[in-house]
Amino acid sequence: MLMTMSYSVLSAQEQYSLVKANQKFMVKGTSSLHDWHMEATDGQGECVLTQTSGVINIQKAEVKFKAEALESGKRGMDKNAYKALKTEDFPWIEFKLSDFEAKQAGKGLVKGDLTIAGFTKPVTFEVETVQGTGTITVSGTSAFKLTDFKIDPPTALMGTIKTGDDVTVEFNLTFKNQKQ
């Protein structure tokens, strides 16, 4: 364990891994027909945390999941989404933390690079952290446009059904301390 001194308060840096049984990634959007959502529950990731005077600080975080793990429950919609996401060439959706700003009561802002369909763009997520025994759960949300990532919103039935450009990404991830 790496120990550092900060303002005369002891701080320990600890490595955490994403718990496979307790994770959810969701993408929500609209179309000319109805609202939709796709969900994935099988990602990979790690984070490094420090805690000083009871305040959690995320020092490093990387999370990724296979784009084709996103499912809507409708095969045709999934197929159109995978085509738009270019999953044959870019099978992973990835996030790498660049900054964490802790706020009060376990809330904060996570900033980092999100890579979708081979295009990387900085994004900000509003997050909430909940600490358990040897775990930390991080949940958050961010809204952006598909075209921000050079993704053409999917269409169906020869263009008569059009997906909206605006999407919201939500996640709920539990990380476990690797030493426990």
Side-chain angles (χ1 to χ4, degrees):
M1 175 174 10
L2 176 65
M3 302 298 278
T4 60
M5 295 299 282
S6 175
Y7 303 102
S8 301
V9 178
L10 196 58
S11 176
Q13 189 176 56
E14 306 235 358
Q15 183 86 23
Y16 287 69
S17 293
L18 191 57
V19 177
K20 290 215 177 261
N22 198 0
Q23 54 182 283
K24 181 166 77 171
F25 305 90
M26 187 180 301
V27 180
K28 296 179 178 181
T30 62
S31 74
S32 56
L33 185 60
H34 56 74
D35 291 350
W36 57 269
H37 77 275
M38 297 182 81
E39 191 173 312
T41 58
D42 189 18
Q44 302 171 13
E46 296 182 335
C47 67
V48 175
L49 306 176
T50 59
Q51 186 169 336
T52 306
S53 300
V55 177
I56 295 171
N57 191 6
I58 303 172
Q59 297 293 310
K60 177 183 175 187
E62 294 183 11
V63 176
K64 68 179 185 175
F65 64 93
K66 287 195 175 191
E68 289 189 3
L70 284 168
E71 295 180 342
S72 68
K74 298 175 183 158
R75 196 172 134 211
M77 182 178 161
D78 294 350
K79 185 178 172 183
N80 286 338
Y82 303 154
K83 182 178 176 183
L85 294 171
K86 305 170 194 151
T87 60
E88 285 188 24
D89 294 324
F90 306 104
W92 295 94
I93 295 174
E94 301 178 54
F95 177 80
K96 291 184 181 180
L97 177 84
S98 61
D99 186 47
F100 174 72
E101 181 183 335
K103 304 265 184 188
Q104 294 179 339
K107 297 191 186 287
L109 289 177
V110 167
K111 297 176 184 177
D113 290 327
L114 181 61
T115 303
I116 304 174
F119 187 81
T120 302
K121 180 175 177 24
V123 296
T124 300
F125 288 91
E126 292 182 23
V127 297
E128 185 170 341
T129 60
V130 177
Q131 189 171 13
T133 304
T135 65
I136 183 165
T137 298
V138 182
S139 56
T141 185
S142 184
F144 52 82
K145 295 184 179 300
L146 292 171
T147 53
D148 290 346
F149 289 87
K150 310 292 185 211
I151 298 170
D152 293 326
T155 61
L157 297 175
M158 298 187 335
T160 59
I161 299 175
K162 298 178 182 180
T163 301
D165 193 19
D166 295 312
V167 294
T168 300
V169 173
E170 298 177 1
F171 64 88
N172 188 332
L173 308 172
T174 299
F175 295 87
K176 183 176 182 184
N177 189 320
Q178 290 183 351
K179 292 186 177 186
Q180 294 187 359

